[in-house]
């Protein structure tokens, strides 16, 4: 079945088509949910909510542009809307306009560890970091989506980068200490 037929059948409320659409795109959309969520369970909940919204609004898709892009946008918006309801994402006391670069030794950690560190960031920092770094939003767009100012978005991004850098460096230090203890324990 072609994508056009699949979308058409989903618009008609066909459960088999909805299941097929879910199977085809759940992996991609779960990846988005995972990077915006604090953990796997929350990502699964966000994926479920996103598909509910997709099926509810699929009649609004007018076959203009990428269907996958449309679903990704709904997924991001669904997750952001959930966080807007949970907490107020604005006010950050520090004003960190300058960009803090994550050290190049970030490549020394594996992707799973980096994702874990990103998920551990406070909501306002994690959302801003993902929107800016991973999804290419501008600070103006992030401010509009999260109901904050452009300056707050910049500050949240700088703070997120600083926290990630600290976690990466702490991880590196733990690894070095672990190797030293291993060597001390195994000396002849």
């Amino acid at each position: 079945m072609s994508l056009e037929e699949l979308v058409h059948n989903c618009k008609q409320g066909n459960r088999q088509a909805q299941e097929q659409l879910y199977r085809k795109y759940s992996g991609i959309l779960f990846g988005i949910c995972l990077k915006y969520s604090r953990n796997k369970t929350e990502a699964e909940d966000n994926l479920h909510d996103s598909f509910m919204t997709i099926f509810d609004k699929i009649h609004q898709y007018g076959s203009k542009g990428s269907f996958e892009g449309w679903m990704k946008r709904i997924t991001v918006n669904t997750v952001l809307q959930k966080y807007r309801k949970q907490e107020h994402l604005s006010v950050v006391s520090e004003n960190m306009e300058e960009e803090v670069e994550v050290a190049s030794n970030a490549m020394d950690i594996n992707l799973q560890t980096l994702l874990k560190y990103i998920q551990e960031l406070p909501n306002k920092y994690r959302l801003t970091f993902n929107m800016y770094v991973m999804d290419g939003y501008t600070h103006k767009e992030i401010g509009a989506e999260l109901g904050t100012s452009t300056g707050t978005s910049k500050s949240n991004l700088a703070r997120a980068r600083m926290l990630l850098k600290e976690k990466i460096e702490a991880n590196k230090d733990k690894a070095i200490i672990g190797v030293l203890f291993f060597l001390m324990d195994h000396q002849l």
Side-chain angles (χ1 to χ4, degrees):
M1 182 180 316
S2 73
L3 181 59
E4 292 80 24
E5 292 172 321
L6 191 59
V7 171
H8 174 75
N9 289 341
C10 286
K11 286 180 179 182
Q12 302 302 315
N14 181 311
R15 296 281 185 211
Q16 289 177 332
Q18 291 174 341
E19 181 181 350
Q20 192 174 351
L21 187 75
Y22 177 85
R23 288 179 191 267
K24 182 172 182 152
Y25 290 103
S26 62
I28 294 166
L29 299 182
F30 183 68
I32 292 170
C33 291
L34 197 54
K35 73 181 179 183
Y36 279 95
S37 303
R38 288 180 290 240
N39 54 52
K40 185 179 176 190
T41 302
E42 186 175 271
E44 289 168 349
D45 289 344
N46 287 333
L47 179 66
H48 175 266
D49 293 346
S50 296
F51 267 103
M52 295 302 292
T53 303
I54 287 166
F55 293 139
D56 186 49
K57 297 185 179 211
I58 199 162
H59 65 279
Q60 295 176 4
Y61 176 69
S63 298
K64 294 179 182 172
S66 163
F67 180 69
E68 184 176 323
W70 180 81
M71 288 194 311
K72 286 178 178 180
R73 186 70 174 187
I74 284 183
T75 301
V76 169
N77 287 339
T78 299
V79 174
L80 293 178
Q81 185 178 30
K82 195 174 190 178
Y83 286 114
R84 272 187 235 120
K85 287 179 183 176
Q86 287 179 357
E87 64 182 72
H88 188 61
L89 296 172
S90 57
V91 187
V92 173
S93 58
E94 314 105 68
N95 188 8
M96 305 179 70
E97 293 286 328
E98 77 229 32
E99 300 231 346
V100 178
E101 290 299 319
V102 176
S104 62
N105 65 357
M107 296 307 205
D108 294 341
I109 65 171
N110 67 41
L111 185 58
Q112 206 169 26
T113 302
L114 184 58
L115 179 61
K116 177 182 171 275
Y117 292 164
I118 292 170
Q119 289 175 328
E120 291 172 353
L121 290 171
N123 287 342
K124 58 190 167 198
Y125 300 147
R126 184 181 66 254
L127 295 174
T128 302
F129 179 85
N130 281 319
M131 291 176 79
Y132 187 84
V133 174
M134 306 291 215
D135 294 328
Y137 284 75
T138 65
H139 287 295
K140 185 176 180 181
E141 291 169 327
I142 294 169
E145 286 289 331
L146 299 181
T148 63
S149 70
T150 300
T152 299
S153 174
K154 290 178 181 179
S155 178
N156 287 347
L157 176 64
R159 185 70 179 134
R161 286 179 167 167
M162 187 185 321
L163 289 172
L164 287 173
K165 182 178 179 183
E166 289 171 3
K167 286 179 183 263
I168 290 166
E169 288 175 355
N171 183 53
K172 184 177 76 172
D173 291 344
K174 286 179 187 175
I176 291 170
I177 291 169
V179 168
L180 290 174
F181 280 124
F182 176 80
L183 292 173
M184 289 184 338
D185 287 344
H186 292 87
Q187 285 182 340
L188 297 175

